[in-house]
Amino acid sequence: MGKKSKLYRAQMEKVDRSVLMTLLDAMKLLKELPQPKFDQTVELSFRLGVDPKQTDQTVRGALPLPKGTGKSVAVCVITDNADLQKAATDAGADFVGFEDIIEKVKGGWVDFDVLIASPSAMPKVRPLGRQLGPKGLMPNPKTGTVTDAIGKAVGEAKAGRVEFRADKGACVQIPIGKLSFKAEDLEENGKAVIAALVKAKPASAKGAYFLSCTVSATMTPGIKVDPRTLVTKE
């Protein structure tokens, strides 16, 4: 294992990895740690009590963070409906179109963070999987990015919408804002994420759902959160 940086060692002096904290206390401690000069992204990481190998135990979803993500989001909309194109533009979408955008994406253009498509446009969007799939940009009804409610979807994406999906190890990592946010605002975003994960819990999953939870920033060690404090009742 490589040598830890001076910053990391200074941070670890303040973090007791044997202690399980409440979400708010973890956010407060995170903000007290020695920091680099840039505004770090804060992330919640979970290990869930599901078996991702079972098709009926997939955990996936999306939600708008009540306090936003703290970052600018470029939104692209593909639809063949003129009214929906206007709704997208009015809601603040950065790129709106149909076949013109499809041709650009085929050529390798993906200068956006979120792609939203109307159901009617999906037959022509699906073949773009090679360009969009590896970057996690493929529209999906389960995450609200295939919809006729284009204006609402654009508004949520702009306000701070995040997606989540459990990996092969049943782990989920979700950004919940910037370290410059107030601890209470980070907690509010965190609680919204937890509620979304609870809603996405597979009916076939048995036993404890939240096995572990850690909060960290881009260049900090993880601070352990007591999973028993995440929800009042599972």
Side-chain angles (χ1 to χ4, degrees), residues 99-223:
E99 292 185 346
D100 54 334
I101 289 183
I102 290 173
E103 289 304 313
K104 288 177 66 175
V105 174
K106 285 181 180 178
W109 176 78
V110 286
D111 293 341
F112 46 85
D113 302 299
V114 177
L115 176 60
I116 298 168
S118 62
S120 61
M122 284 306 294
K124 290 198 173 184
V125 173
R126 289 191 187 96
L128 302 177
R130 179 180 297 179
Q131 292 84 3
L132 300 173
K135 297 183 179 297
L137 294 171
M138 193 68 182
N140 189 303
K142 292 183 178 179
T143 59
T145 48
V146 177
T147 178
D148 281 323
I150 293 289
K152 178 183 177 182
V154 171
E156 289 183 349
K158 281 290 188 180
R161 184 174 178 278
V162 294
E163 298 182 8
F164 60 86
R165 184 173 187 174
D167 62 19
K168 294 180 180 179
C171 296
V172 180
Q173 294 82 36
I174 310 175
I176 59 168
K178 294 292 187 178
L179 198 56
S180 58
F181 285 18
K182 295 179 180 178
E184 291 78 10
D185 289 346
L186 289 170
E187 180 197 30
E188 185 173 344
N189 279 352
K191 286 183 175 180
V193 163
I194 291 163
L197 284 170
V198 171
K199 185 177 180 180
K201 180 181 179 180
S204 59
K206 305 301 180 183
Y209 185 46
F210 293 109
L211 301 182
S212 68
C213 176
T214 303
V215 61
S216 63
T218 308
M219 294 182 66
T220 73
I223 299 172

Side-chain angles (χ1 to χ4, degrees), residues 7-17 33 221-222:
L7 174 63
Y8 188 89
R9 294 196 303 272
Q11 292 170 336
M12 282 302 297
E13 290 179 359
K14 293 179 174 288
V15 178
D16 186 346
R17 298 301 297 276
L33 299 181

Side-chain angles (χ1 to χ4, degrees), residues 33-135:
L33 299 181
Q35 306 296 341
K37 295 182 180 179
F38 66 95
D39 193 7
Q40 301 176 82
T41 296
V42 177
E43 184 176 83
L44 274 180
S45 300
F46 303 87
R47 186 164 64 88
L48 303 177
V50 299
D51 182 0
K53 294 180 182 179
Q54 305 299 320
T55 57
D56 62 348
Q57 293 200 24
T58 300
V59 177
R60 183 175 187 177
L63 73 150
L65 294 178
K67 297 299 181 179
T69 61
K71 63 176 286 188
S72 175
V73 179
V75 178
C76 179
V77 173
I78 297 179
T79 178
D80 55 348
N81 184 298
D83 290 337
L84 294 183
Q85 288 182 358
K86 183 179 185 304
T89 301
D90 291 346
D94 300 271
F95 311 101
V96 180
F98 183 43
E99 292 185 346
D100 54 334
I101 289 183
I102 290 173
E103 289 304 313
K104 288 177 66 175
V105 174
K106 285 181 180 178
W109 176 78
V110 286
D111 293 341
F112 46 85
D113 302 299
V114 177
L115 176 60
I116 298 168
S118 62
S120 61
M122 284 306 294
K124 290 198 173 184
V125 173
R126 289 191 187 96
L128 302 177
R130 179 180 297 179
Q131 292 84 3
L132 300 173
K135 297 183 179 297

